[in-house]
Amino acid sequence: AQAHIQAVGEGEMDPEKGPWRITLDMPSYIAVMSHLPDREIREKVYRAYLTRASEFSEDKNNVPILLEILKLKGKMSKLLGFDNYAEQSLAAKMAPSVEAVGELSDLILEKALPAAEKELAEITALAKDMQPDVYANVDKLMPWDTTFFSERLKEKTFDLSEEELRPYFALPNVLDGMFGLVKRIFNVEVREAKGEAEVWHPDVGFYNVYDVDSEKHIASFYLDPYSRPENKRGGAWMDVCIGKSEAVNRDIPVAYLTCNGSPAVGDTPSLMSFREVETLFHEFGHGLQHMLTTVNEGDVAGINGVEWDAVELPSQFMENWCYDRPTVYGFAKHYETGEPLPDDKFQKLCEQKTFNAGMMSCRQLLFGQLDIELYSNFDAEAAESGEGESVFDVQRRMAQKYTPYSMPLEEDRFLCTFGHIFAGGYSAGYYSYKWAEVMSADAFGAFEDVGLDNEEAVKEVGMKFRNTVLSLGGGVPPMEVFEQFRGRQPTPDALLRHNGLA
């Protein structure tokens, strides 16, 4: 808004009265679709968002570029002896074939689609109840309505905000709880080693990891937990500082763990949102696979050489513990009073996890299978000449199967900005998100099977996880690693159960 004021050179900015500047950047777009009551503006923003970088745009059109990418990848794959690019992509991944990815997607779709249709019906009913003059005779909400009323339903159902939970998730307490968890299930102890290593900012901590039985120092890591917008990019990630390698005499792997949480202010510690807690557990999972490796060959030690669709297993696995009562109550206490997180708030957190799980699952399945279809069966040259399907025809055809309750508008050009599969590393690999979710949920299911309150059995399963998934690196095929841990191949049963779709 301030930029707008400066541009027009008149008026004053008032947060309550405006003017407000709406952009098509994701934070602005999501806020508008979720919270702006004006339906006409929501529609205008939605249509502008889905036609970016297309033939409807004034100066940028990615459609020819999409076709060129698809053609070139197809030609490259044929030169390398593959039938198509999807086949080439999967040759270096855990999934054995395009057909296997489709079969898993259809197994999940069978449960997710009925749930999605029910969820949309509930959202539509709320819209009719809240604004009968607009929606009384509407059978189906428009896309610019769904997110807005979904948020209203979430507020009505749970009456829980991230801000009211922050006092219960002080970073020092969360770290203590997370370190206590890995000691309990993986038999490793994390100790802060302040002053032992040089750090690039006073907020950065350095920690050593020890095997409890042998008391041997086996790994270390840096933790950079806070946001610094002036010189640090956003997001969260784990990276390798020092990798384990016998060839260069490196036996102590070291990891970087980076987050962008709210910093401490004065005597008040960093108070985390629950989403930030999950993110910390997620990145620590990546770090554990790097740090607890027993492989001495650098190229396949830790996360090195682990297939793309398997590398998220340890990270997503760790997120599951954020919904385990003993784990959460090991750190969720008010930073001032020490009072534990109220039980009703914990219950709402657990229930929120499955909110709209059907629609979310169907959306991810659509993206994954649309990606696979474009890189396996789509004829880019025929599309370019006008003799075959366009990429948008394929999008609508796949949506008919995976999200029939929410078909794309005729002018939908979402693919023109689907950077993951055209500009990122997920070409014929977007399915990896769901594939890894299946594996991580199934892995956590092994702990559920023995009883999460059975300490001895949980530790036994934890050590098995440490000695397989966290230990074997990229030198053993991930399916073989999973089978060593679980005794069988992964199934989606646990994921469906965790998402309330069983």
Side-chain angles (χ1 to χ4, degrees):
Q2 188 62 52
H4 173 73
I5 294 294
Q6 292 172 352
V8 298
E10 59 183 29
E12 295 181 358
M13 182 177 70
D14 186 318
E16 297 297 327
K17 299 178 182 177
W20 302 279
R21 187 183 191 195
I22 296 171
T23 72
L24 299 181
D25 296 323
M26 184 59 74
S28 178
Y29 170 75
I30 290 295
V32 167
M33 302 312 295
S34 300
H35 301 293
L36 188 69
D38 191 313
R39 190 188 190 207
E40 288 186 7
I41 297 179
R42 289 203 310 269
E43 178 182 355
K44 184 176 181 180
V45 172
Y46 181 85
R47 290 184 183 275
Y49 186 80
L50 64 81
T51 54
R52 291 171 302 155
S54 70
E55 70 270 29
F56 299 109
S57 177
E58 292 181 2
D59 57 343
K60 294 180 175 67
N61 180 10
N62 279 347
V63 176
I65 299 174
L66 303 190
L67 294 175
E68 187 71 9
I69 290 170
L70 290 164
K71 283 193 300 181
L72 290 174
K73 284 184 180 290
K75 288 179 180 178
M76 173 183 67
S77 298
K78 285 184 169 59
L79 286 172
L80 294 172
F82 297 98
D83 289 339
N84 52 63
Y85 183 75
E87 186 179 295
Q88 177 188 337
S89 174
L90 266 60
K93 293 183 173 66
M94 180 180 178
S97 65
V98 168
E99 291 74 24
V101 174
E103 288 170 8
L104 178 63
S105 298
D106 289 348
L107 274 173
I108 298 172
L109 182 69
E110 185 180 337
K111 299 290 186 180
L113 184 54
E117 290 170 337
K118 182 181 177 183
E119 290 160 1
L120 184 57
E122 291 173 351
I123 294 168
T124 304
L126 179 68
K128 292 184 176 186
D129 183 55
M130 289 182 66
Q131 298 182 18
D133 54 325
V134 178
Y135 298 100
N137 298 315
V138 169
D139 294 326
K140 190 175 182 181
L141 294 181
M142 297 304 292
W144 49 86
D145 296 323
T146 307
T147 302
F148 179 80
F149 286 104
S150 175
E151 283 298 311
R152 305 293 78 75
L153 181 60
K154 189 175 182 180
E155 292 168 355
K156 179 181 177 182
T157 304
F158 300 111
D159 188 26
L160 186 69
S161 72
E162 284 194 341
E163 294 307 309
E164 67 183 282
L165 294 175
R166 283 184 186 270
Y168 297 96
F169 299 133
L171 176 62
N173 294 339
V174 174
L175 288 176
D176 286 345
M178 186 172 71
F179 297 158
L181 169 67
V182 296
K183 184 176 183 179
R184 179 163 64 99
I185 63 176
F186 299 141
N187 207 39
V188 295
E189 184 175 3
V190 180
R191 303 176 196 163
E192 188 170 12
K194 190 175 291 186
E196 190 172 304
E198 184 180 1
V199 295
W200 54 93
H201 190 277
D203 292 337
V204 176
F206 185 72
Y207 300 82
N208 290 329
V209 182
Y210 299 85
D211 178 76
V212 170
D213 290 340
S214 67
E215 298 187 359
K216 180 184 177 183
H217 175 206
I218 56 175
S220 299
F221 65 94
Y222 294 90
L223 175 63
D224 187 351
Y226 305 138
S227 172
R228 295 189 298 277
E230 70 280 4
N231 57 20
K232 179 181 175 184
R233 70 178 171 92
W237 63 94
M238 172 266 164
D239 209 345
V240 173
C241 176
I242 297 174
K244 190 165 186 170
S245 174
E246 190 174 53
V248 292
N249 198 30
R250 289 177 176 170
D251 193 44
I252 306 294
V254 182
Y256 296 117
L257 302 181
T258 306
C259 297
N260 265 280
S262 304
V265 179
D267 294 331
T268 303
S270 170
L271 302 179
M272 307 174 73
S273 69
F274 185 68
R275 190 173 303 176
E276 289 170 343
V277 174
E278 286 184 297
T279 299
L280 178 62
F281 272 66
H282 180 103
E283 299 307 331
F284 195 51
H286 282 306
L288 288 170
Q289 187 170 31
H290 171 65
M291 294 186 288
L292 300 187
T293 186
T294 56
V295 177
N296 292 316
E297 182 62 44
D299 287 344
V300 290
I303 62 172
N304 291 338
V306 177
E307 280 81 347
W308 191 276
D309 47 0
V311 76
E312 293 293 333
L313 165 55
S315 53
Q316 293 182 354
F317 163 82
M318 284 297 291
E319 289 184 44
N320 286 286
W321 294 97
C322 295
Y323 298 90
D324 172 55
R325 180 180 290 273
T327 300
V328 172
Y329 278 91
F331 61 76
K333 49 192 174 186
H334 198 283
Y335 78 101
E336 289 179 317
T337 66
E339 289 294 314
L341 179 72
D343 187 68
D344 65 316
K345 294 187 186 300
F346 176 71
Q347 289 299 327
K348 287 177 180 178
L349 274 176
C350 294
E351 291 166 5
Q352 272 191 358
K353 184 183 180 184
T354 63
F355 181 74
N356 281 353
M359 290 200 298
M360 286 299 296
S361 292
C362 288
R363 182 173 180 267
Q364 288 298 98
L365 293 174
L366 170 62
F367 290 170
Q369 287 303 104
L370 174 57
D371 170 39
I372 288 288
E373 182 71 7
L374 287 172
Y375 282 111
S376 60
N377 296 319
F378 178 67
D379 188 336
E381 293 187 358
E384 194 171 43
S385 67
E387 296 175 0
E389 280 187 309
S390 72
V391 289
F392 310 113
D393 292 333
V394 178
Q395 179 188 354
R396 282 185 282 274
R397 174 163 57 81
M398 300 304 288
Q400 187 65 57
K401 177 175 180 179
Y402 291 98
T403 58
Y405 54 85
S406 181
M407 290 295 292
L409 300 183
E410 188 62 34
E411 68 268 34
D412 189 318
R413 295 297 183 267
F414 152 75
L415 281 169
C416 289
T417 55
F418 195 6
H420 277 76
I421 71 167
F422 291 114
Y426 282 89
S427 304
Y430 196 91
Y431 78 90
S432 299
Y433 285 110
K434 192 59 68 177
W435 190 275
E437 276 187 60
V438 167
M439 293 177 64
S440 63
D442 200 352
F444 188 73
F447 292 82
E448 294 175 314
D449 289 347
V450 300
L452 290 171
D453 55 351
N454 185 338
E455 282 296 313
E456 187 175 334
V458 163
K459 185 151 194 170
E460 183 179 341
V461 176
M463 288 304 295
K464 194 173 183 181
F465 188 86
R466 174 184 168 182
N467 293 330
T468 53
V469 176
L470 299 180
S471 170
L472 297 177
V476 179
M479 185 64 80
E480 187 177 324
V481 173
F482 190 90
E483 288 176 347
Q484 284 187 37
F485 169 63
R486 202 67 170 99
R488 56 165 175 75
Q489 294 193 359
T491 73
D493 298 348
L495 177 64
L496 293 170
R497 185 175 71 252
H498 293 169
N499 286 342
L501 302 174

